[in-house]
């Protein structure tokens, strides 16, 4: 009997130890999970799925950050490996055979053999892909035919592949989430995110390939939807206006929202403009536990959403009090535990980020995580807490070359491309990229300024799009220069707050603009003032002259006429945005306001809205 008991104990001991360990592990897990939970009304399954998703992405982020840091120590080799990987993969395509990719062994051979290109070089090739021809530019079938936003001309149709998406997640999303958690440790908590994004409309090519925007969508993020305040059925709603209402409704229901997220700061700004208009309707819905009958919803979608609503008069009373106190600093009152706003607020989105910080989101940190485009991931912001938006170029995402800004007007600027290790701090360049989806030595049209180096890798600030430059006599006033002048002028217009702006060169407007000398038409939507005096309007011309010696000299000679500043009615830019999206088939997820209008119809529309 004694021997028997010893044998049983020997057999049971590992099981007992495992049981104790597993109970201990579960206790530690539960304690860790409980310490991160903020807010109520979360199911255990949703908390666990978020907890493990955060842990996995956190581990992945650390790993990818380590790889990135190692890559920045040997930039030439990493860039050459990236290039040769692209060429090898596509060597057996029609295009790869034309340029004999299989025989290229280094960067120099590639740059000697392959010309610098623009979209016209690819137009006919992309048409063949859309028609179903295989192995034209890339080895695999593209996931989608991605439409660019068309800010500097007509929209282009580019290929998007699985590699593009994988790289964006590993080298972009994972790395930026790691940077975010280091800078804002509270963002590691198990709070829901309000993500403002929409289901875009896709059409089909002849071969059945989807054509549409290349950005994160509810469909591409379906495994993450339980992390967001907006229920999944809301993303089936085709109307942007109705979807935005639902985003706001379910966000307002939850006082413990942790992050406000969108691709661009403009989307967040438009959301708060809508909130300011519709808060009473939203509060009434929360009080009654319903979804507004004014929304056009499929019966099944409405039933599913209303199943997640219940009357909450206490929260409705809180919200009504917050709104009646005004909208300055409203975000902190609505969501006291909000950690940050996660959205790109550089480039054409800079003014929206500034307006959000000054008005709705006072005291809330902003993180502008990526520098990316339809062509793919370009850079990541490793310095979230800094106000200055600078991005470390991702050396394994694209093979990058750089055209010095000074050479862009020469007949053959491509003779002057530099590599990553050859650029100089303080100088500006146009990016020329070779990506994972069939673009080779492609001029992107983005001008960036090198503002430093992280080890050997350039750190850049976005400056402007080549097609978004004002130039009626060759003076070249960039978007960043014009916006700086506009902000200084507005600071001298008592009470004025900028809502939005854009410009047009007089040549596109024909007889409608008045005046024979070439000049700029500037359209501004302002709050706080009803009109501008001629003296105030002229302040903007003076501010541009202070920043651009060439513009000033042309004004002095009379070669450029005085700037015409047109104040437009409230809501004019909101209507213009709808027109632009409809014309270019752009999704709200990817829309960027055009700062220099190249279509007469848009300029005429704003001219009709002048006060």
């Amino acid at each position: 009997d004694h021997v028997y008991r010893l044998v049983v104990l020997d057999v049971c001991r590992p099981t007992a130890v495992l049981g104790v360990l597993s109970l201990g592990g579960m206790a530690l897990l539960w304690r860790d999970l409980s310490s991160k939970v903020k807010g109520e009304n979360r199911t255990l399954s949703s908390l666990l799925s978020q907890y493990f998703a955060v842990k996995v992405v956190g581990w992945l982020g650390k790993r990818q950050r380590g790889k990135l840091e190692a890559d920045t120590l040997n930039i030439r080799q990493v860039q050459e490996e990236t290039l040769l990987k692209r060429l090898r993969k596509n060597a057996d395509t029609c295009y790869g055979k034309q340029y004999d990719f299989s025989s290229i062994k280094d960067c120099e051979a590639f740059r000697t053999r392959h010309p610098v290109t623009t979209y016209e070089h690819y137009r006919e090739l992309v048409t063949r892909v859309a028609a179903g021809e295989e192995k034209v530019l890339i080895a695999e079938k593209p996931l989608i035919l991605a439409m660019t936003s068309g800010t500097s001309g007509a929209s282009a149709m580019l290929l998007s592949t699985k590699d593009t998406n994988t790289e964006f997640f590993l080298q972009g999303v994972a790395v930026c989430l790691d940077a975010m958690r280091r800078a804002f440790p509270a963002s590691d908590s198990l709070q829901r995110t309000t993500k403002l994004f929409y289901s875009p409309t896709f059409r089909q090519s002849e071969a059945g390939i989807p054509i549409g925007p290349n950005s994160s969508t509810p469909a591409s993020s379906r495994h993450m939807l339980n992390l967001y305040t907006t229920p999944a059925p809301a993303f089936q709603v085709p109307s942007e206006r109705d979807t935005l209402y639902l985003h706001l409704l379910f966000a307002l229901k939850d006082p413990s929202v942790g992050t406000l997220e969108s691709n661009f700061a403009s989307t967040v700004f438009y959301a708060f403009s809508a909130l300011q208009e519709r808060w009473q309707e939203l509060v009434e819905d929360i009080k009654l536990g319903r979804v507004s009958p004014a929304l056009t919803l499929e019966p099944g979608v409405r039933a599913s959403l209303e199943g997640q609503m219940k009357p909450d008069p206490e929260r409705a009373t809180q919200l009504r009090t917050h709104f009646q106190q005004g909208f300055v600093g409203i975000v902190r009152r609505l969501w006291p535990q909000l950690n940050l706003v996660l959205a790109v607020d550089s480039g054409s989105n800079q003014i929206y980020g500034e307006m959000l910080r000054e008005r709705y989101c006072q005291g809330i940190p902003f993180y502008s995580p990526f520098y990316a485009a339809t062509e793919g991931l370009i850079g990541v912001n490793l310095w979230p807490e800094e106000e200055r938006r600078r991005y470390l170029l991702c050396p394994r995402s694209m093979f990058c070359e750089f055209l010095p800004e000074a050479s862009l007007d020469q007949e053959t600027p491509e003779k002057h491309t530099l590599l990553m290790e050859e650029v100089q701090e303080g100088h500006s360049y146009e990016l020329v990229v070779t990506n994972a989806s069939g673009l080779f030595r492609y001029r992107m049209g983005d001008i960036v300024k090198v503002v430093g180096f992280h080890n050997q890798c350039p750190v850049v600030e976005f400056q402007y799009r080549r097609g978004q430059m004002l130039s009626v006599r060759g003076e070249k006033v960039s978007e960043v220069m014009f916006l700086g002048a506009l902000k200084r002028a507005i600071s001298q217009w008592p009470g004025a707050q900028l809502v939005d702006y854009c410009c047009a060169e007089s040549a596109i407007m024909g007889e409608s603009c008045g005046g024979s000398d070439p000049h700029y038409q500037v359209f501004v939507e302002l709050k706080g003032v009803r009109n501008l005096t001629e003296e105030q309007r002229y302040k903007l011309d003076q501010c541009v002259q202070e920043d651009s010696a060439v513009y000033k000299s042309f004004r002095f000679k009379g070669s450029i006429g005085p700037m015409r500043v047109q104040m437009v009615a409230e809501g004019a830019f909101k209507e213009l945005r709808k027109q632009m999206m409809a014309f270019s088939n752009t999704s709200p997820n990817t829309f960027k306001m055009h700062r220099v209008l190249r279509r007469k119809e848009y300029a005429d529309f704003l001219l009709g809205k002048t006060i």
Side-chain angles (χ1 to χ4, degrees), residues 314-334:
E314 186 182 344
R315 178 63 176 161
T317 301
Q318 285 175 1
L319 291 169
R320 186 173 282 107
T321 303
H322 295 325
F323 290 129
Q324 287 170 345
Q325 290 170 1
F327 276 78
V328 175
I330 187 72
V331 167
R332 182 62 79 196
R333 299 199 301 277
L334 295 175

Side-chain angles (χ1 to χ4, degrees), residues 12 25 50 60 111 113 145 170 187 286 290 321 329 333 398 402 422 425 503 510 528 530 547 555 558:
C12 291
Q50 183 174 1
L60 198 58
R111 293 164 79 201
R113 184 171 307 170
L145 298 169
L170 291 176
S187 66
I286 288 168
R290 68 170 192 190
T321 303
R333 299 199 301 277
M398 301 186 189
F402 303 82
E422 296 171 332
E425 186 173 345
C503 313
R530 293 190 173 189
D547 288 350
R555 287 286 291 113

Side-chain angles (χ1 to χ4, degrees), residues 335-543:
W335 301 292
Q337 300 176 83
L338 192 79
N339 301 307
L340 79 157
V341 177
L342 183 62
V344 171
D345 63 355
S346 52
S348 61
N349 277 273
Q350 181 185 336
I351 63 165
Y352 304 113
E354 289 171 356
M355 289 189 290
L356 285 166
R357 282 187 286 273
E358 287 166 12
R359 186 168 173 76
Y360 304 113
C361 302
Q362 284 185 355
I364 307 289
F366 276 62
Y367 177 28
S368 183
F370 314 117
Y371 171 24
T374 308
E375 292 84 352
L377 176 69
I378 302 163
V380 288
N381 179 0
L382 297 184
W383 307 275
E385 63 272 59
E386 291 186 13
E387 281 186 30
R388 194 176 172 191
R389 302 314 190 205
R390 52 198 183 107
Y391 302 92
L392 176 70
L393 294 178
C394 296
R396 287 202 188 271
S397 178
M398 301 186 189
F399 173 69
C400 294
E401 297 172 74
F402 303 82
L403 282 170
E405 187 181 34
S407 74
L408 295 181
D409 290 330
Q410 296 177 9
E411 282 189 24
T412 54
E414 57 269 18
K415 290 182 178 177
H416 304 278
T417 65
L418 302 173
L419 299 178
M420 269 196 193
E421 68 272 18
E422 296 171 332
V423 295
Q424 294 183 322
E425 186 173 345
H427 290 235
S428 293
Y429 305 89
E430 180 182 352
L431 280 173
V432 177
V433 301
T434 297
N435 72 359
S437 48
L439 296 175
F440 303 92
R441 303 196 78 202
Y442 177 72
R443 290 182 69 171
M444 281 189 63
D446 281 14
I447 311 300
V448 298
K449 183 178 183 179
V450 176
V451 293
F453 290 84
H454 183 72
N455 297 323
Q456 297 174 9
C457 193
V459 177
V460 302
E461 282 179 358
F462 176 84
Q463 297 295 293
Y464 60 91
R465 292 277 296 157
R466 203 155 36 91
Q468 289 282 281
M469 181 91 80
L470 285 164
S471 189
V472 293
R473 292 284 193 196
E475 70 282 5
K476 297 199 186 108
V477 173
S478 71
E479 182 181 326
V480 71
M481 183 188 290
F482 186 86
L483 178 58
L486 178 61
K487 288 197 293 191
R488 283 208 317 285
I490 290 172
S491 71
Q492 298 173 64
W493 300 342
Q497 290 179 301
L498 180 65
V499 174
D500 223 326
Y501 82 96
C502 64
C503 313
E505 295 165 357
S506 56
I508 76 152
M509 302 190 68
E511 296 176 6
S512 59
C513 69
S516 55
D517 291 328
H519 61 273
Y520 304 161
Q521 287 274 350
V522 181
F523 301 97
V524 290
E525 185 177 331
L526 301 170
K527 276 184 179 175
V529 291
R530 293 190 173 189
N531 205 349
L532 296 171
T533 65
E534 284 306 313
E535 185 183 358
Q536 286 174 321
R537 291 169 198 254
Y538 185 62
K539 276 284 180 203
L540 178 55
D541 198 301
Q542 287 179 313
C543 287

Side-chain angles (χ1 to χ4, degrees), residues 550-561:
V550 180
Y551 179 79
K552 184 176 183 177
S553 72
F554 280 128
R555 287 286 291 113
F556 181 75
K557 294 174 192 170
S559 308
I560 294 179

Side-chain angles (χ1 to χ4, degrees), residues 247-292:
H247 280 316
L248 293 171
L249 178 64
F250 286 94
L252 290 172
K253 266 170 50 68
D254 185 352
S256 62
V257 171
T259 305
L260 287 179
E261 181 183 349
S262 190
N263 287 354
F264 298 119
S266 57
T267 314
V268 183
F269 178 76
Y270 294 133
F272 281 104
S273 300
L275 179 60
Q276 200 160 350
E277 289 173 16
R278 305 187 73 178
W279 69 264
Q280 289 171 307
E281 193 180 349
L282 286 155
V283 167
E284 190 68 10
D285 278 359
I286 288 168
K287 177 185 171 184
L288 300 175
R290 68 170 192 190
V291 174
S292 170

Side-chain angles (χ1 to χ4, degrees), residues 52-68 166 168-179 181-182:
F52 287 117
V54 165
K55 289 292 182 189
V56 169
V57 174
W59 171 81
L60 198 58
K62 284 179 189 172
R63 178 170 162 267
Q64 290 299 128
R65 176 69 178 266
K67 286 185 174 183
L68 176 61
T166 303
F168 191 90
F169 180 75
L170 291 176
Q171 298 181 45
V173 175
V175 170
C176 287
L177 287 176
D178 179 68
R181 291 202 177 88
R182 292 183 192 204

